[in-house]
């Protein structure tokens, strides 16, 4: 885990060995079985999660329907930033789509470490930037693109989703019904 975390972190910021070692020591391992959740709506999120192996899905419930908001492939860091920062119960659900190895870090411990090593802020600034850009792209696509265009963009930009995620989750993520996705795929392929 440590080497993969180091490689992942290096894509966002350069840390000294001392900074990285202090950071890595805060992560506690957790195993999440397929279809189990790290957290569900109604809970207060107090941790950030490093996904070392596996695939996670974030989704919201709306009138009894699951609305998929994202797919997260290892290596990645995830949480519900709104719950974490606003200190309110989350509306998000974070679910493992296969057996998953994660590591959690308390936001309080992380913030205390950042006081000691301010350079760690660069890691999270870059991560927030990545998440904001991904979210903005999706938002614009849902506003401007037809379902076929949304599917083709997803296929081009994130082919691992098309290859590994069940079709009904992809349809939900694209804002369409599974039957519509099947028709789109038949016309394309």
């Amino acid at each position: 885990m440590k080497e993969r975390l180091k490689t992942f972190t290096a894509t966002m910021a350069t840390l000294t060995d001392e900074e990285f070692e202090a950071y890595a020591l805060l992560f506690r391992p957790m195993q999440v079985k397929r279809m189990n959740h790290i957290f569900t709506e109604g809970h207060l999120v107090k941790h950030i999660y490093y996904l070392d192996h596996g695939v996670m899905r974030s989704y919201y419930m709306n009138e009894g329907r699951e609305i998929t908001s994202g797919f997260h492939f290892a290596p990645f860091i995830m949480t519900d930033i709104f719950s974490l920062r606003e200190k309110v119960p989350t509306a998000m659900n974070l679910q493992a789509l296969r057996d998953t190895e994660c590591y959690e870090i308390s936001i309080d411990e992380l913030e205390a470490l950042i006081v000691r090593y301010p350079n760690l802020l660069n890691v999270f600034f870059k991560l927030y930037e990545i998440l904001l850009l991904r979210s903005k792209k999706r938002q614009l696509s849902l506003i401007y693109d037809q379902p076929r265009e949304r599917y083709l963009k997803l296929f081009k930009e994130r082919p691992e989703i098309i290859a590994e995620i069940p079709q009904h989750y992809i349809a939900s993520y694209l804002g369409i019904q599974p039957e519509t996705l099947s028709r789109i795929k038949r016309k394309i392929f």
Side-chain angles (χ1 to χ4, degrees):
M1 171 292 246
K2 204 171 177 181
E3 282 307 309
R4 286 183 298 277
L5 178 62
K6 189 172 194 171
T7 301
F8 174 71
T9 303
T11 65
M12 293 179 281
T14 303
L15 301 179
T16 66
D17 288 342
E18 180 182 340
E19 290 167 333
F20 177 76
E21 288 301 320
Y23 173 62
L25 280 174
L26 293 181
F27 283 93
R28 288 173 296 285
M30 59 186 296
Q31 303 292 319
V32 186
K33 292 289 184 194
R34 181 180 181 274
M35 304 313 286
N36 285 346
H37 292 79
I38 290 181
F39 58 77
T40 55
E41 67 179 286
H43 291 91
L44 186 62
V45 177
K46 297 179 182 179
H47 294 85
I48 292 174
Y49 302 90
Y50 167 68
L51 177 59
D52 194 44
H53 288 290
V55 179
M56 302 292 294
R57 170 179 81 109
S58 52
Y59 69 94
Y60 296 87
M61 295 301 295
N62 185 9
E63 298 179 3
R65 288 183 34 238
E66 294 179 0
I67 310 297
T68 299
S69 60
F71 301 104
H72 316 286
F73 290 81
F76 201 66
I77 290 180
M78 52 206 169
T79 192
D80 179 357
I81 194 69
F82 187 77
S83 177
L84 197 71
R85 285 287 163 226
E86 296 294 317
K87 298 187 182 344
V88 296
T90 185
M92 181 192 294
N93 300 278
L94 189 57
Q95 179 184 46
L97 294 182
R98 63 170 98 127
D99 288 350
T100 299
E101 265 184 62
C102 284
Y103 293 81
E104 67 178 0
I105 184 171
S106 156
I107 189 63
D108 294 335
E109 291 175 333
L110 179 58
E111 287 176 341
L113 189 65
I114 287 171
V115 169
R116 208 165 117 211
Y117 299 112
N119 190 35
L120 280 170
L121 277 175
N122 293 327
V123 173
F124 292 94
F125 177 81
K126 184 64 177 176
L127 180 63
Y128 292 153
E129 181 181 77
I130 290 165
L131 293 172
L132 180 63
L133 290 172
R134 191 181 285 175
S135 177
K136 189 68 173 180
K137 276 180 146 179
R138 180 168 185 260
Q139 179 184 30
L140 291 172
S141 184
L142 287 169
I143 293 169
Y144 293 112
D145 296 337
Q146 294 299 312
R148 182 179 190 276
E149 293 170 289
R150 289 197 296 269
Y151 178 77
L152 289 171
K153 280 183 179 180
L154 185 65
F155 187 82
K156 179 182 175 189
E157 294 170 7
R158 299 200 57 206
E160 71 278 12
I161 290 175
I162 305 300
E164 296 188 41
I165 303 297
Q167 183 168 308
H168 64 284
Y169 294 146
I170 294 172
S172 171
Y173 180 76
L174 294 172
I176 59 178
Q177 295 298 315
E179 301 78 24
T180 303
L181 180 55
S182 292
R183 282 193 299 276
I184 289 169
K185 288 172 68 175
R186 275 195 306 273
K187 288 179 183 177
I188 293 172
F189 303 110

